[in-house]
PDB file of all heavy atoms in Angstrom:
ATOM      1  N   ILE A 266     198.234 188.626  -4.885  1.00  0.00           N
ATOM      2  CA  ILE A 266     198.254 189.618  -3.810  1.00  0.00           C
ATOM      3  C   ILE A 266     197.094 189.296  -2.884  1.00  0.00           C
ATOM      4  O   ILE A 266     195.934 189.280  -3.320  1.00  0.00           O
ATOM      5  CB  ILE A 266     198.105 191.048  -4.375  1.00  0.00           C
ATOM      6  CG1 ILE A 266     199.295 191.366  -5.297  1.00  0.00           C
ATOM      7  CG2 ILE A 266     197.994 192.065  -3.243  1.00  0.00           C
ATOM      8  CD1 ILE A 266     199.178 192.685  -6.038  1.00  0.00           C
ATOM      9  N   VAL A 267     197.401 189.013  -1.623  1.00  0.00           N
ATOM     10  CA  VAL A 267     196.327 188.732  -0.663  1.00  0.00           C
ATOM     11  C   VAL A 267     195.994 190.048   0.035  1.00  0.00           C
ATOM     12  O   VAL A 267     196.840 190.631   0.712  1.00  0.00           O
ATOM     13  CB  VAL A 267     196.751 187.658   0.363  1.00  0.00           C
ATOM     14  CG1 VAL A 267     195.560 187.313   1.264  1.00  0.00           C
ATOM     15  CG2 VAL A 267     197.283 186.424  -0.327  1.00  0.00           C
ATOM     16  N   GLY A 268     194.756 190.522  -0.171  1.00  0.00           N
ATOM     17  CA  GLY A 268     194.322 191.780   0.432  1.00  0.00           C
ATOM     18  C   GLY A 268     194.206 192.887  -0.604  1.00  0.00           C
ATOM     19  O   GLY A 268     195.183 193.236  -1.261  1.00  0.00           O
ATOM     20  N   PHE A 363     192.014 183.936   2.254  1.00  0.00           N
ATOM     21  CA  PHE A 363     193.303 183.250   2.283  1.00  0.00           C
ATOM     22  C   PHE A 363     193.281 182.292   3.466  1.00  0.00           C
ATOM     23  O   PHE A 363     192.938 182.681   4.587  1.00  0.00           O
ATOM     24  CB  PHE A 363     194.443 184.258   2.450  1.00  0.00           C
ATOM     25  CG  PHE A 363     195.727 183.612   2.867  1.00  0.00           C
ATOM     26  CD1 PHE A 363     196.566 183.031   1.934  1.00  0.00           C
ATOM     27  CD2 PHE A 363     196.081 183.552   4.211  1.00  0.00           C
ATOM     28  CE1 PHE A 363     197.739 182.404   2.326  1.00  0.00           C
ATOM     29  CE2 PHE A 363     197.249 182.921   4.610  1.00  0.00           C
ATOM     30  CZ  PHE A 363     198.075 182.353   3.670  1.00  0.00           C
ATOM     31  N   ASP A 365     195.821 179.373   3.625  1.00  0.00           N
ATOM     32  CA  ASP A 365     197.120 178.741   3.874  1.00  0.00           C
ATOM     33  C   ASP A 365     198.032 179.047   2.685  1.00  0.00           C
ATOM     34  O   ASP A 365     197.570 179.540   1.652  1.00  0.00           O
ATOM     35  CB  ASP A 365     196.928 177.217   4.013  1.00  0.00           C
ATOM     36  CG  ASP A 365     198.047 176.541   4.787  1.00  0.00           C
ATOM     37  OD1 ASP A 365     199.089 177.187   5.041  1.00  0.00           O
ATOM     38  OD2 ASP A 365     197.884 175.352   5.121  1.00  0.00           O
ATOM     39  N   VAL A 366     199.317 178.700   2.852  1.00  0.00           N
ATOM     40  CA  VAL A 366     200.257 178.868   1.737  1.00  0.00           C
ATOM     41  C   VAL A 366     200.497 177.526   1.057  1.00  0.00           C
ATOM     42  O   VAL A 366     200.305 176.467   1.665  1.00  0.00           O
ATOM     43  CB  VAL A 366     201.619 179.421   2.218  1.00  0.00           C
ATOM     44  CG1 VAL A 366     201.531 180.898   2.554  1.00  0.00           C
ATOM     45  CG2 VAL A 366     202.139 178.627   3.407  1.00  0.00           C
ATOM     46  N   VAL A 374     207.469 179.948  -0.752  1.00  0.00           N
ATOM     47  CA  VAL A 374     206.024 180.143  -0.958  1.00  0.00           C
ATOM     48  C   VAL A 374     205.749 180.116  -2.460  1.00  0.00           C
ATOM     49  O   VAL A 374     206.386 180.830  -3.242  1.00  0.00           O
ATOM     50  CB  VAL A 374     205.558 181.486  -0.339  1.00  0.00           C
ATOM     51  CG1 VAL A 374     204.094 181.745  -0.654  1.00  0.00           C
ATOM     52  CG2 VAL A 374     205.792 181.482   1.169  1.00  0.00           C
ATOM     53  N   GLY A 376     202.312 179.775  -3.745  1.00  0.00           N
ATOM     54  CA  GLY A 376     200.887 179.939  -4.035  1.00  0.00           C
ATOM     55  C   GLY A 376     200.078 180.062  -2.755  1.00  0.00           C
ATOM     56  O   GLY A 376     200.638 180.124  -1.651  1.00  0.00           O
ATOM     57  N   VAL A 377     198.761 180.123  -2.938  1.00  0.00           N
ATOM     58  CA  VAL A 377     197.867 180.292  -1.787  1.00  0.00           C
ATOM     59  C   VAL A 377     196.757 179.246  -1.807  1.00  0.00           C
ATOM     60  O   VAL A 377     196.304 178.818  -2.873  1.00  0.00           O
ATOM     61  CB  VAL A 377     197.231 181.706  -1.766  1.00  0.00           C
ATOM     62  CG1 VAL A 377     198.273 182.772  -1.491  1.00  0.00           C
ATOM     63  CG2 VAL A 377     196.467 182.017  -3.058  1.00  0.00           C
ATOM     64  N   VAL A 404     203.968 185.577  -3.831  1.00  0.00           N
ATOM     65  CA  VAL A 404     202.757 185.963  -3.081  1.00  0.00           C
ATOM     66  C   VAL A 404     203.074 187.257  -2.335  1.00  0.00           C
ATOM     67  O   VAL A 404     204.176 187.420  -1.795  1.00  0.00           O
ATOM     68  CB  VAL A 404     202.338 184.848  -2.091  1.00  0.00           C
ATOM     69  CG1 VAL A 404     201.199 185.323  -1.183  1.00  0.00           C
ATOM     70  CG2 VAL A 404     201.909 183.594  -2.857  1.00  0.00           C
ATOM     71  N   VAL A 405     202.120 188.187  -2.339  1.00  0.00           N
ATOM     72  CA  VAL A 405     202.281 189.437  -1.592  1.00  0.00           C
ATOM     73  C   VAL A 405     201.274 189.433  -0.444  1.00  0.00           C
ATOM     74  O   VAL A 405     200.081 189.228  -0.668  1.00  0.00           O
ATOM     75  CB  VAL A 405     202.023 190.669  -2.501  1.00  0.00           C
ATOM     76  CG1 VAL A 405     202.143 191.969  -1.692  1.00  0.00           C
ATOM     77  CG2 VAL A 405     202.987 190.682  -3.688  1.00  0.00           C
ATOM     78  N   ASP A 406     201.780 189.646   0.770  1.00  0.00           N
ATOM     79  CA  ASP A 406     200.887 189.792   1.928  1.00  0.00           C
ATOM     80  C   ASP A 406     200.527 191.268   2.065  1.00  0.00           C
ATOM     81  O   ASP A 406     201.347 192.081   2.499  1.00  0.00           O
ATOM     82  CB  ASP A 406     201.569 189.274   3.199  1.00  0.00           C
ATOM     83  CG  ASP A 406     200.611 189.263   4.397  1.00  0.00           C
ATOM     84  OD1 ASP A 406     199.549 189.917   4.321  1.00  0.00           O
ATOM     85  OD2 ASP A 406     200.934 188.603   5.401  1.00  0.00           O
ATOM     86  N   ALA A 407     199.310 191.614   1.662  1.00  0.00           N
ATOM     87  CA  ALA A 407     198.825 192.998   1.793  1.00  0.00           C
ATOM     88  C   ALA A 407     197.546 192.979   2.623  1.00  0.00           C
ATOM     89  O   ALA A 407     196.581 193.672   2.325  1.00  0.00           O
ATOM     90  CB  ALA A 407     198.590 193.606   0.412  1.00  0.00           C
ATOM     91  N   THR A 408     197.555 192.152   3.666  1.00  0.00           N
ATOM     92  CA  THR A 408     196.327 191.950   4.466  1.00  0.00           C
ATOM     93  C   THR A 408     196.200 192.931   5.630  1.00  0.00           C
ATOM     94  O   THR A 408     195.395 192.722   6.542  1.00  0.00           O
ATOM     95  CB  THR A 408     196.243 190.508   5.007  1.00  0.00           C
ATOM     96  OG1 THR A 408     197.406 190.260   5.807  1.00  0.00           O
ATOM     97  CG2 THR A 408     196.166 189.483   3.892  1.00  0.00           C
ATOM     98  N   ASP A 411     196.480 192.418  10.086  1.00  0.00           N
ATOM     99  CA  ASP A 411     196.438 190.971  10.347  1.00  0.00           C
ATOM    100  C   ASP A 411     197.708 190.254   9.899  1.00  0.00           C
ATOM    101  O   ASP A 411     198.096 189.260  10.497  1.00  0.00           O
ATOM    102  CB  ASP A 411     195.254 190.317   9.622  1.00  0.00           C
ATOM    103  CG  ASP A 411     193.920 190.775  10.163  1.00  0.00           C
ATOM    104  OD1 ASP A 411     193.922 191.448  11.211  1.00  0.00           O
ATOM    105  OD2 ASP A 411     192.887 190.472   9.530  1.00  0.00           O
ATOM    106  N   ALA A 412     198.330 190.736   8.815  1.00  0.00           N
ATOM    107  CA  ALA A 412     199.484 190.045   8.213  1.00  0.00           C
ATOM    108  C   ALA A 412     199.196 188.540   8.121  1.00  0.00           C
ATOM    109  O   ALA A 412     199.987 187.701   8.572  1.00  0.00           O
ATOM    110  CB  ALA A 412     200.773 190.322   9.006  1.00  0.00           C
ATOM    111  N   SER A 413     198.063 188.209   7.534  1.00  0.00           N
ATOM    112  CA  SER A 413     197.557 186.827   7.566  1.00  0.00           C
ATOM    113  C   SER A 413     198.516 185.811   6.946  1.00  0.00           C
ATOM    114  O   SER A 413     198.618 184.684   7.437  1.00  0.00           O
ATOM    115  CB  SER A 413     196.217 186.735   6.822  1.00  0.00           C
ATOM    116  OG  SER A 413     195.325 187.682   7.289  1.00  0.00           O
ATOM    117  N   VAL A 414     199.199 186.194   5.882  1.00  0.00           N
ATOM    118  CA  VAL A 414     200.082 185.229   5.213  1.00  0.00           C
ATOM    119  C   VAL A 414     201.357 185.028   6.041  1.00  0.00           C
ATOM    120  O   VAL A 414     201.799 183.900   6.291  1.00  0.00           O
ATOM    121  CB  VAL A 414     200.430 185.696   3.774  1.00  0.00           C
ATOM    122  CG1 VAL A 414     201.193 184.612   3.031  1.00  0.00           C
ATOM    123  CG2 VAL A 414     199.171 186.100   3.003  1.00  0.00           C
ATOM    124  N   ALA A 415     201.914 186.144   6.501  1.00  0.00           N
ATOM    125  CA  ALA A 415     203.128 186.057   7.326  1.00  0.00           C
ATOM    126  C   ALA A 415     202.839 185.269   8.606  1.00  0.00           C
ATOM    127  O   ALA A 415     203.640 184.422   9.028  1.00  0.00           O
ATOM    128  CB  ALA A 415     203.626 187.460   7.660  1.00  0.00           C
ATOM    129  N   LYS A 416     201.673 185.519   9.208  1.00  0.00           N
ATOM    130  CA  LYS A 416     201.311 184.818  10.450  1.00  0.00           C
ATOM    131  C   LYS A 416     201.148 183.317  10.207  1.00  0.00           C
ATOM    132  O   LYS A 416     201.412 182.493  11.090  1.00  0.00           O
ATOM    133  CB  LYS A 416     200.021 185.403  11.031  1.00  0.00           C
ATOM    134  CG  LYS A 416     200.207 186.785  11.671  1.00  0.00           C
ATOM    135  CD  LYS A 416     200.636 186.659  13.123  1.00  0.00           C
ATOM    136  CE  LYS A 416     201.025 187.973  13.781  1.00  0.00           C
ATOM    137  NZ  LYS A 416     199.931 188.882  14.028  1.00  0.00           N
ATOM    138  N   CYS A 417     200.706 182.991   9.012  1.00  0.00           N
ATOM    139  CA  CYS A 417     200.557 181.583   8.649  1.00  0.00           C
ATOM    140  C   CYS A 417     201.942 180.909   8.616  1.00  0.00           C
ATOM    141  O   CYS A 417     202.113 179.785   9.107  1.00  0.00           O
ATOM    142  CB  CYS A 417     199.867 181.523   7.282  1.00  0.00           C
ATOM    143  SG  CYS A 417     199.774 179.922   6.565  1.00  0.00           S
ATOM    144  N   LEU A 418     202.930 181.630   8.073  1.00  0.00           N
ATOM    145  CA  LEU A 418     204.299 181.077   8.079  1.00  0.00           C
ATOM    146  C   LEU A 418     204.837 181.003   9.504  1.00  0.00           C
ATOM    147  O   LEU A 418     205.578 180.084   9.850  1.00  0.00           O
ATOM    148  CB  LEU A 418     205.223 181.946   7.221  1.00  0.00           C
ATOM    149  CG  LEU A 418     204.998 181.883   5.710  1.00  0.00           C
ATOM    150  CD1 LEU A 418     205.938 182.830   4.992  1.00  0.00           C
ATOM    151  CD2 LEU A 418     205.193 180.460   5.182  1.00  0.00           C
ATOM    152  N   GLU A 419     204.454 181.963  10.325  1.00  0.00           N
ATOM    153  CA  GLU A 419     204.903 181.944  11.725  1.00  0.00           C
ATOM    154  C   GLU A 419     204.345 180.717  12.443  1.00  0.00           C
ATOM    155  O   GLU A 419     205.061 180.033  13.181  1.00  0.00           O
ATOM    156  CB  GLU A 419     204.463 183.226  12.444  1.00  0.00           C
ATOM    157  CG  GLU A 419     204.994 183.289  13.874  1.00  0.00           C
ATOM    158  CD  GLU A 419     204.666 184.601  14.558  1.00  0.00           C
ATOM    159  OE1 GLU A 419     203.508 185.069  14.480  1.00  0.00           O
ATOM    160  OE2 GLU A 419     205.588 185.162  15.188  1.00  0.00           O
ATOM    161  N   ARG A 420     203.064 180.405  12.181  1.00  0.00           N
ATOM    162  CA  ARG A 420     202.454 179.226  12.814  1.00  0.00           C
ATOM    163  C   ARG A 420     203.199 177.954  12.435  1.00  0.00           C
ATOM    164  O   ARG A 420     203.222 176.984  13.175  1.00  0.00           O
ATOM    165  CB  ARG A 420     200.983 179.101  12.402  1.00  0.00           C
ATOM    166  CG  ARG A 420     200.043 180.023  13.171  1.00  0.00           C
ATOM    167  CD  ARG A 420     198.595 179.614  13.009  1.00  0.00           C
ATOM    168  NE  ARG A 420     198.143 179.693  11.628  1.00  0.00           N
ATOM    169  CZ  ARG A 420     197.742 180.804  11.020  1.00  0.00           C
ATOM    170  NH1 ARG A 420     197.739 181.943  11.678  1.00  0.00           N
ATOM    171  NH2 ARG A 420     197.366 180.796   9.758  1.00  0.00           N
ATOM    172  N   LEU A 424     208.750 181.808  10.088  1.00  0.00           N
ATOM    173  CA  LEU A 424     208.971 183.267  10.083  1.00  0.00           C
ATOM    174  C   LEU A 424     208.631 183.784  11.464  1.00  0.00           C
ATOM    175  O   LEU A 424     207.694 183.296  12.098  1.00  0.00           O
ATOM    176  CB  LEU A 424     208.038 183.908   9.031  1.00  0.00           C
ATOM    177  CG  LEU A 424     208.127 185.415   8.808  1.00  0.00           C
ATOM    178  CD1 LEU A 424     209.467 185.796   8.187  1.00  0.00           C
ATOM    179  CD2 LEU A 424     206.992 185.886   7.882  1.00  0.00           C
ATOM    180  N   CYS A 426     207.172 186.818  13.433  1.00  0.00           N
ATOM    181  CA  CYS A 426     206.458 188.090  13.288  1.00  0.00           C
ATOM    182  C   CYS A 426     206.499 188.834  14.610  1.00  0.00           C
ATOM    183  O   CYS A 426     206.736 188.243  15.660  1.00  0.00           O
ATOM    184  CB  CYS A 426     204.997 187.862  12.916  1.00  0.00           C
ATOM    185  SG  CYS A 426     204.771 187.197  11.262  1.00  0.00           S
ATOM    186  N   LEU A 452     207.661 185.287  -0.572  1.00  0.00           N
ATOM    187  CA  LEU A 452     206.638 186.125   0.077  1.00  0.00           C
ATOM    188  C   LEU A 452     207.136 187.563   0.271  1.00  0.00           C
ATOM    189  O   LEU A 452     208.135 187.797   0.961  1.00  0.00           O
ATOM    190  CB  LEU A 452     206.242 185.565   1.451  1.00  0.00           C
ATOM    191  CG  LEU A 452     205.219 186.457   2.182  1.00  0.00           C
ATOM    192  CD1 LEU A 452     203.852 186.387   1.519  1.00  0.00           C
ATOM    193  CD2 LEU A 452     205.110 186.079   3.653  1.00  0.00           C
ATOM    194  N   VAL A 453     206.403 188.499  -0.325  1.00  0.00           N
ATOM    195  CA  VAL A 453     206.690 189.928  -0.153  1.00  0.00           C
ATOM    196  C   VAL A 453     205.631 190.506   0.782  1.00  0.00           C
ATOM    197  O   VAL A 453     204.444 190.163   0.661  1.00  0.00           O
ATOM    198  CB  VAL A 453     206.635 190.643  -1.532  1.00  0.00           C
ATOM    199  CG1 VAL A 453     206.698 192.159  -1.381  1.00  0.00           C
ATOM    200  CG2 VAL A 453     207.783 190.153  -2.418  1.00  0.00           C
ATOM    201  N   VAL A 454     206.058 191.347   1.726  1.00  0.00           N
ATOM    202  CA  VAL A 454     205.066 191.998   2.597  1.00  0.00           C
ATOM    203  C   VAL A 454     204.936 193.464   2.201  1.00  0.00           C
ATOM    204  O   VAL A 454     205.915 194.124   1.859  1.00  0.00           O
ATOM    205  CB  VAL A 454     205.384 191.887   4.113  1.00  0.00           C
ATOM    206  CG1 VAL A 454     205.029 190.515   4.636  1.00  0.00           C
ATOM    207  CG2 VAL A 454     206.818 192.232   4.416  1.00  0.00           C
ATOM    208  N   ALA A 458     200.867 195.304   6.879  1.00  0.00           N
ATOM    209  CA  ALA A 458     201.419 193.988   7.236  1.00  0.00           C
ATOM    210  C   ALA A 458     202.911 194.096   7.543  1.00  0.00           C
ATOM    211  O   ALA A 458     203.448 193.340   8.372  1.00  0.00           O
ATOM    212  CB  ALA A 458     201.176 192.989   6.099  1.00  0.00           C
TER     213      ALA A 458
END
Side-chain angles (χ1 to χ4, degrees):
I266 298 173
V267 185
F363 164 83
D365 203 349
V366 285
V374 175
V377 292
V404 172
V405 178
D406 186 344
T408 59
D411 294 350
S413 308
V414 187
K416 287 273 172 70
C417 173
L418 289 178
E419 184 175 46
R420 280 195 298 278
L424 182 67
C426 291
L452 177 71
V453 171
V454 282

